[in-house]
């Protein structure tokens, strides 16, 4: 299998795809491309007209959107793709929930407490994001009341999608204390050997 190319850097949303690549074992090459100048070049815009990382190139396929890239990698791997229509539906549900509910909430909190220069931060937006993120974590915590992983007894691609995104708030000190089941689940997901490898790249950068 010739290696796929992932454009991005570990300290970006490319981290989610690094996690999927490490979990699937698909050979890959990381093409260092940052989210400031790196993704704004004319050549890069040919890969992603949104001028954002990550991008995955696999032969003729050029794909953007981190969680869609992961869905492709799960399918390609043959090992992480769900075996039943029900688990496939659960994977889509959690992926879309992550993209439309959890990530925007987390982003509003993270950008306005950590990422933006202090003078550009808006405390009201940060609190609004935190409130929505707390609501998401409450949903997650409740869901995990009677199962260790999102689709039941075993870790699956759905866990990877959600945990790879929530990594940002977890690693940046969001208070997970009121959500002990979600916190323990996240720690299980993010301490898997493949996750530790991806985290090693990110946390060393
Ligand atoms: N929804 C996209 C978002 C991609 C995205 O915003 N990437 C950031 C880096 S983490 C970026 O490239 N930002 C450059 C910019 O917004 O100009 C995905 O999940 O892949």
């Amino acid at each position: 299998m010739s290696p796929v190319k992932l454009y991005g850097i570990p300290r970006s949303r490319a981290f989610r795809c690094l996690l999927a690549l490490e979990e699937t074992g698909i050979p890959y090459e990381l093409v260092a491309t940052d989210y400031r100048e790196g993704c704004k070049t004319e050549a890069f815009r040919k890969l992603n007209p949104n001028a954002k990382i990550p991008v995955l190139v696999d032969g003729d396929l050029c794909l953007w959107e981190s969680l869609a890239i992961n869905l492709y990698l799960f399918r390609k791997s043959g090992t992480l793709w769900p075996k039943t229509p029900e688990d496939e539906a659960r994977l889509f549900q959690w992926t879309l929930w992550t993209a439309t509910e959890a990530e925007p909430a987390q982003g509003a909190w993270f950008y306005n407490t950590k990422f933006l220069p202090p003078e550009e931060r808006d405390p009201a937006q940060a609190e609004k994001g935190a409130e929505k993120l707390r609501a998401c974590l409450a949903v997650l915590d409740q869901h995990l009341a009677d199962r260790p992983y999102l689709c039941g007894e075993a870790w699956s691609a759905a866990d990877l999608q959600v945990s790879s995104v929530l990594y940002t708030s977890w690693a940046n000190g969001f208070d997970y204390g009121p959500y002990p089941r979600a916190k323990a689940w996240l720690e299980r997901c993010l301490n898997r050997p493949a996750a530790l490898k991806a985290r090693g790249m990110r946390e060393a950068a």
Side-chain angles (χ1 to χ4, degrees):
M1 209 190 289
S2 55
V4 301
K5 282 187 180 176
L6 180 70
Y7 292 78
I9 48 171
R11 286 188 75 85
S12 75
R13 286 170 175 86
F15 171 70
R16 303 163 184 182
C17 306
L18 285 172
L19 240 164
L21 285 162
E22 291 295 339
E23 284 284 1
T24 56
I26 294 172
Y28 68 95
E29 178 194 341
L30 180 62
V31 184
T33 309
D34 69 46
Y35 49 76
R36 299 195 196 281
E37 288 88 29
C39 61
K40 304 300 174 194
T41 64
E42 216 174 298
F44 188 82
R45 281 174 196 271
K46 289 197 175 112
L47 300 178
N48 184 357
N50 299 290
K52 292 182 180 190
I53 52 168
V55 166
L56 183 91
V57 175
D58 184 12
D60 288 343
L61 177 71
C62 176
L63 202 59
W64 32 266
E65 278 302 323
S66 54
L67 297 178
I69 291 171
N70 283 0
L71 290 172
Y72 171 70
L73 294 172
F74 301 147
R75 188 86 190 243
K76 182 181 167 85
S77 76
T79 52
L80 281 191
W81 193 253
K83 301 221 173 355
T84 65
E86 289 81 4
D87 276 346
E88 197 175 84
R90 290 182 184 108
L91 171 59
F92 294 150
Q93 173 196 279
W94 285 110
T95 297
L96 291 170
W97 178 81
T98 303
T100 61
E101 304 287 339
E103 176 166 17
Q106 173 180 264
W109 171 79
F110 176 66
Y111 277 73
N112 289 291
T113 56
K114 314 274 172 190
F115 186 76
L116 292 171
E119 65 279 10
E120 289 174 32
R121 295 177 192 168
D122 177 345
Q125 285 300 320
E127 184 41 38
K128 231 171 150 177
E131 199 181 316
K132 287 186 177 166
L133 184 54
R134 286 192 286 268
C136 289
L137 295 180
V139 168
L140 206 51
D141 203 65
Q142 184 54 40
H143 183 76
L144 293 165
D146 49 11
R147 50 180 83 74
Y149 290 103
L150 297 181
C151 294
E153 289 306 309
W155 177 90
S156 74
D159 298 288
L160 190 154
Q161 295 288 66
V162 182
S163 63
S164 69
V165 170
L166 289 181
Y167 169 84
T168 298
S169 49
W170 177 79
N172 283 285
F174 194 83
D175 183 11
Y176 274 72
Y179 316 100
R181 289 177 294 238
K183 182 171 186 277
W185 161 83
L186 199 47
E187 285 168 0
R188 284 199 301 281
C189 293
L190 294 172
N191 283 307
R192 292 170 58 81
L196 288 175
K197 243 180 125 184
R199 282 177 58 192
M201 289 183 243
R202 183 180 175 125
E203 290 163 14

